[in-house]
Each structure stands twice: as C-alpha cells, then as structure tokens.
Amino acid sequence: MLRISQISRKVLPAFVVATGVIAGTWPAFAQSATIASPAAAFTAAQDALDAAWQANGLAFVVATFTQDGGTAYGQYTPRNGSVFQDDDVLSIYAEPVGYGFIETDGVFAFDLTASYRLLNSSGQVLAEQENFAEFSGEGRSKQRELAAALSFQFSGLPAGDYELETRFKDQADGKEAGFTLSFSIAEPN
C-alpha cells in the first residue's frame, strides 16, 4: 500500500503540471494580435443596426403557423394553410426584433414573456394565459437572432373560425407587441 501511495504522489503532480501548462497557453492563443479586424464600413453598419434596433421597438419579422414549430433561428417549415382538426397541435414560429438588452459587466441579457388569447368569430375570449412562455438569454454580444417556437393544443373546439392573439412583453424595457393568426377547425371526419 505504501508503494502505491508513493507512485500516486509522483503521477498526480505531473498531471497537474501538464494540465497547468496546457491551460496556461490557451489565453495566449485567445488574445493573439493576428486576428483580422472588421472593415470600418462593417463596424459602421453594425452601429447603424444597433441604432435602428433600439429605435424600432419590439416587433416581428416572421409570425406563422408551421409544420413543426421550428428548431432554430430561420429553421422552420411554414404550414400549408390554417385549417386544423380539433386535436391538432398549432405550432407557431416567430422572430421578434427590437427587444431590449440589459448590460451587466459586459454581458448583454434579454428576457421576453409571451401571453395568448383564443377568440371565436364573435370576439369572445375562450382561453387566455399570461406569461405562459419565456424567451431569455445572455452573452458577450447582443443576440439578435431569436427563434420563438410556440405550441398550442385546444381540445373540444367546435368547427369554425378562430383567432389566436399572441403578445410578447419585453422585460428589459416594458414594451409590448404581438400578432394575431387566424385559423379554422374543420368539421370532424
């Protein structure tokens, strides 16, 4: 036993030293002066985007029914039509823009909550829920590619026309925006 203990003591410091040497070289690569900087025109375009983003306020570039809800930013398949069966899942993909960021120690955070209302053709509210979904994140740069995938399943709806109102609230600045998608429930087969 004493012999194994002595071997372990010799191997462990060698492993720690090797790990320390490898870890110690990483910052030298990450801070290399050989990184190509963007052109002045690119930097100016980014600054213009930032100003337009802030001036625009919360809005949506895309809000549509999809086949599968979407898997990532720009990765969705639009649904052909808006007629559903009573037990179908209503999948929606949306791309919000103009949401605010809160900067803390060089980290930019965003936080959006979503609420919905389901209305029949006469405007009667059949279902609603506040803050049923949250979309948040943070990073060292402002993350402007947000894919909001939502799924709804309303059972027991009679055949007819409906509207699904979805509202997003920006927790960073309190602004709100939304969209309404019309759909129909088909007669049972």
Side-chain angles (χ1 to χ4, degrees):
M1 262 241 212
L2 180 61
R3 195 172 184 124
I4 294 172
S5 176
Q6 290 173 343
I7 293 172
S8 296
R9 286 185 192 156
K10 291 178 184 178
V11 172
L12 183 60
F15 175 75
V16 171
V17 169
T19 305
V21 169
I22 292 169
T25 59
W26 177 252
F29 291 117
Q31 298 172 7
S32 174
T34 61
I35 297 173
S37 297
F42 183 84
T43 303
Q46 280 189 314
D47 292 342
L49 171 62
D50 195 47
W53 185 276
Q54 291 175 25
N56 189 74
L58 187 59
F60 296 87
V61 175
V62 174
T64 187
F65 288 116
T66 64
Q67 291 181 17
D68 57 5
T71 56
Y73 184 78
Q75 302 296 311
Y76 65 96
T77 304
R79 188 176 195 280
N80 228 354
S82 59
V83 178
F84 296 87
Q85 296 298 317
D86 175 46
D87 59 348
D88 284 347
V89 173
L90 282 68
S91 297
I92 296 173
Y93 174 86
E95 289 179 5
V97 296
Y99 46 86
F101 294 94
I102 298 172
E103 182 182 2
T104 307
D105 296 328
V107 175
F108 298 93
F110 65 90
D111 188 8
L112 302 171
T113 57
S115 302
Y116 80 88
R117 293 187 338 152
L118 173 66
L119 295 88
N120 64 13
S121 59
S122 65
Q124 179 184 15
V125 177
L126 303 176
E128 64 184 333
Q129 187 175 351
E130 295 288 319
N131 304 325
F132 78 96
E134 182 176 19
F135 302 92
S136 61
E138 63 181 28
R140 293 275 173 200
S141 60
K142 295 178 180 177
Q143 298 176 17
R144 292 193 173 102
E145 293 185 345
L146 175 56
L150 306 166
S151 295
F152 299 89
Q153 188 166 23
F154 304 107
S155 60
L157 290 178
D161 297 327
Y162 300 90
E163 289 190 341
L164 182 57
E165 294 179 351
T166 306
R167 255 197 89 87
F168 281 63
K169 183 173 183 181
D170 186 347
Q171 301 302 315
D173 61 17
K175 293 180 182 173
E176 294 186 36
F179 53 87
T180 301
L181 296 175
S182 298
F183 70 97
S184 299
I185 298 295
E187 291 288 343
N189 294 334

